[in-house]
Amino acid sequence: MRNRSRPLRRASMLSGIVLAVALSGNTPATAITGGTDVTTGTLPFVARLDLGTTERSCTGVLVHPQVVLTAAVCFAGPGGTTTTGTPPLATKVTVGGAVSTVSRIVAHPTKNLVLARLDSTITTVAPVPIASTAPAAGDLLTLAGFGRTGTEWIPGRLKAAEFTVRAAGTATFDVAPSGTSGAGVCRGDSGGPALKSSNGTYQLVGLHHSSNQAGCVGEPSGTPAATETRIDTERTWVTDNLPGFASGLETADVRPNWQNTVGPAGSANIIGACCSLTAPELGVRPENPHSGSNTLMYSGKDNSATLSYAYLKAFGLRNTKLRAGSVLSYWIYPQSSTTSSAVSGSNSTCVAVDLAFVDGSNLRDSGALDQRGNSIHPGGQCGKLTLDTWNQVIVPIGTLRAGRQIDTLSIGYDQAVNTGGYRGYVDDIRITDVLESPQFASGLETGETAPTWTNTVSAKLPGAGGGLAEVGGLCCAVTIPELGSRAEQAATGTNALMYSGRDNSTSTSYAYLKAFQLNEVYIKPTTKLTYRIFPQSTATNSAVSGSNSTCVSVDLLFVDQWDAKKTNMRDTTEALDQKGDRAHPTHQCGKLTMDAWNEVTISLGAVNGKQITELDVGYDQALNSGGYRGYIDDIRITE
């Protein structure tokens, strides 16, 4: 039967009817013919995906408040392959009446599956649970989709029908319509679900993979048959790729935001382990890794047999909130005196990863236990880890701390009894299944983050603010460049950030104005700055000259907590927008469309680990003089 089915994995972008059902010109990818309309609220977790303007449509299923699972072919690029990263086409997802966009996709290494990360959290629909057992021949399943029917090319509504499992393999299973319904799977349903019902609760057992499309409009008649991708075998892959935090301390991983820095829980009676060190240590070292080439080394010397502890912070995770299924895991290598002469007894085992939460609570005092039943408090790990070997620690933290927002992740030593040195390594730290909010977002609307400053120059300092030179007010007795929220022109909502000024020199002219002060915003390899900008021309503002209004961009000020060094985005040559242009205002000159909203996306991974302290808006142009004016809206810093 599978040999007669049309695979949904490959496509031609040149014709309207092609083999890859997901890439079928202006029509959806595979849907249910012969089925019935689904009552609103019955299958609320089934998602419709619209890719590009009219290029493709697919079906998917919500498996996490921020993730939709669908077919990889839906996101295939021009070469027919699907690559993890930014989707090749702008994608709108509608699920349960809520609408979001896709910011990132994760492609399965071998199967026709992809996880689509949503920009916003779906709070009105419960994700569908994934079945833990394989479908068996004779099982009755419900298949659903948004695609074609027997009479409609684009019905635009969800339809479903009952199917019977005919044969199950290790990776896929074949289905046929149950009874005499004649139902089939058509273009528009790629990634749609095969669901098993138990006591009124649905479980996801498969995703539409291929179909012979019999009975679908525009296709030959025949006996419908389809093949589904098994999902029960992919539970671990799904879980491992849900939103979360992970770092193996490698160059491409999230870098710690601090080193050798005491965290919120403090330190008492701990000095350096040896060699004239006066304080405990925590930092990345190319020594004894569990994987890769780097690890996080911890060390110190306990000077009290009654009260001793040191909690050193490593990562800022302020935009991370735990769910019931959140799990913390890490590997730890506690050294003995055999591998480090500075170590005494089993001191190195009295160490654990700790989390501090925004509400003032913490992980160490939560009562959470690891997979061996030991307290995750550093004192509860004393003597429970094997010295001079890698130990994995797994803690289901969500069961006790669901809904808590993380502030910092620290490495803590805590032991009341013994004295002496301790030293070891931590590697491959992960927190799975969390909710992640943008690190910063403002559309300038009421209730959103408002600018901290108005019409305020960012002082020119080495590596920091850009200052002001040869720029004054645009017109009308205004003597200074302006930056402030206005209800005049907005990309969304009613407000935007208006910028304006008059360039008085054709050799050196710039104006960098402060907008937002940022707190606890730390950069990861995948962090991006996005904003919309509307540079005005003389057609919309008579005070503007030439293309001056395009010589403007958002600027970010950074500090590296490792060494307190200050830098900025405009001078970072690796900070490029989606067109490959530098983020410096000068390099945006003439690259933006005037009198229209331009979307700008800048990758910040080149400054991984640094803290963003301030967001400015800068005008910078050496050549021309005259007025400039425009608007900036929907500023976001996201993963």
Side-chain angles (χ1 to χ4, degrees), residues 11 30 76 112 156 166 227 247 249 309 316 364 394 398 464 503 514 561 617:
T30 318
N112 184 21
R166 298 190 60 182
T227 298
S247 182
L249 293 311
Y309 57 85
R364 66 184 181 277
I394 302 173
D503 186 330
K514 302 197 289 187
Q561 295 293 353
V617 174

Side-chain angles (χ1 to χ4, degrees), residues 402-420:
R404 304 291 176 96
Q405 183 180 352
I406 301 175
D407 185 14
T408 55
L409 183 151
S410 302
I411 307 296
Y413 167 88
D414 204 326
Q415 184 186 198
V417 179
N418 300 310
T419 60

Side-chain angles (χ1 to χ4, degrees), residues 48 92-100 120-125:
R48 173 171 174 146
K92 181 179 75 172
V93 174
T94 305
V95 54
V99 178
S100 183
S120 56
T121 303
I122 304 297
T123 59
T124 55
V125 176

Side-chain angles (χ1 to χ4, degrees), residues 66-157:
Q66 291 178 314
V67 177
V68 164
L69 175 65
T70 187
V73 293
C74 299
F75 291 96
T81 59
T82 304
T83 305
T84 295
T86 303
L89 294 171
T91 305
K92 181 179 75 172
V93 174
T94 305
V95 54
V99 178
S100 183
T101 54
V102 174
S103 58
R104 177 178 170 80
I105 58 172
V106 178
H108 193 284
T110 60
K111 296 187 177 181
N112 184 21
L113 298 174
V114 73
L115 291 167
R117 175 76 176 274
L118 305 181
D119 274 325
S120 56
T121 303
I122 304 297
T123 59
T124 55
V125 176
V128 65
I130 296 175
S132 58
T133 57
D139 283 353
L140 292 178
L141 304 178
T142 298
L143 272 61
F146 281 99
R148 296 184 191 177
T149 67
T151 57
E152 298 173 282
W153 291 89
I154 308 175
R157 59 189 186 278

Side-chain angles (χ1 to χ4, degrees), residues 468-475 478-481 500-511 543 545 548 619-628:
L468 174 69
E470 301 295 340
V471 177
L474 178 62
C475 71
V478 176
T479 59
I480 58 173
S500 72
R502 179 168 293 278
D503 186 330
N504 293 320
S505 170
T506 57
S507 59
T508 301
S509 314
Y510 53 82
S545 300
N548 285 3
Y619 166 86
D620 203 327
Q621 185 186 197
L623 298 178
N624 301 310
S625 61
Y628 66 90

Side-chain angles (χ1 to χ4, degrees), residues 240-518:
D240 285 349
N241 287 287
L242 293 179
F245 167 80
S247 182
L249 293 311
E250 304 305 310
T251 302
D253 290 338
V254 182
R255 198 207 73 176
N257 307 118
W258 299 275
Q259 61 177 357
N260 306 332
T261 303
V262 175
S267 177
N269 298 318
I270 304 292
I271 61 171
C274 70
C275 320
S276 301
L277 295 171
T278 59
E281 294 179 289
L282 183 71
V284 177
R285 299 285 182 88
E287 303 170 356
N288 191 39
H290 173 257
S291 64
S293 52
N294 292 332
T295 189
L296 199 57
M297 188 279 296
Y298 64 83
S299 73
K301 186 173 182 180
D302 185 330
N303 282 335
S304 172
T306 57
L307 179 66
S308 313
Y309 57 85
Y311 290 85
L312 274 65
K313 57 184 180 177
F315 297 96
L317 301 175
R318 181 63 71 94
N319 67 319
T320 304
K321 184 180 290 186
L322 300 184
R323 300 184 72 227
S326 298
V327 175
L328 164 69
S329 65
Y330 59 92
W331 290 83
I332 183 168
Y333 187 106
Q335 290 186 280
S336 73
S337 56
T338 302
T339 55
S340 175
S341 59
V343 169
S344 300
S346 61
N347 283 4
S348 303
T349 66
C350 303
V351 173
V353 170
D354 188 34
L355 300 176
F357 299 102
V358 172
D359 65 3
S361 64
N362 56 63
L363 178 62
R364 66 184 181 277
D365 295 325
S366 68
L369 306 177
D370 66 17
Q371 77 275 29
R372 302 178 185 90
N374 302 316
S375 169
I376 195 55
H377 190 289
Q381 297 287 300
C382 285
K384 304 298 174 61
L385 302 171
T386 303
L387 291 162
D388 298 330
T389 192
W390 282 104
N391 303 254
Q392 187 176 29
V393 178
I394 302 173
V395 189
I397 53 180
T399 55
L400 294 170
R401 288 292 185 261
R404 304 291 176 96
Q405 183 180 352
I406 301 175
D407 185 14
T408 55
L409 183 151
S410 302
I411 307 296
Y413 167 88
D414 204 326
Q415 184 186 198
V417 179
N418 300 310
T419 60
Y422 64 90
R423 192 178 191 277
Y425 304 92
V426 176
D427 203 353
D428 295 328
I429 307 169
R430 291 175 61 87
I431 303 174
T432 60
D433 191 9
V434 302
L435 295 178
E436 289 184 345
S437 58
Q439 297 220 55
F440 171 82
S442 181
L444 290 308
E445 303 303 314
T446 302
E448 297 183 330
T449 303
T452 312
W453 300 278
T454 300
N455 305 339
T456 303
V457 173
S458 182
K460 188 175 180 63
L461 296 170
L468 174 69
E470 301 295 340
V471 177
L474 178 62
C475 71
C476 319
V478 176
T479 59
I480 58 173
E482 295 178 286
L483 183 71
S485 181
R486 299 283 184 88
E488 299 168 351
Q489 174 85 37
T492 59
T494 56
N495 296 333
L497 204 55
M498 189 280 293
Y499 63 84
S500 72
R502 179 168 293 278
D503 186 330
N504 293 320
S505 170
T506 57
S507 59
T508 301
S509 314
Y510 53 82
Y512 289 85
L513 275 64
K514 302 197 289 187
F516 296 93
Q517 180 177 344
L518 276 62

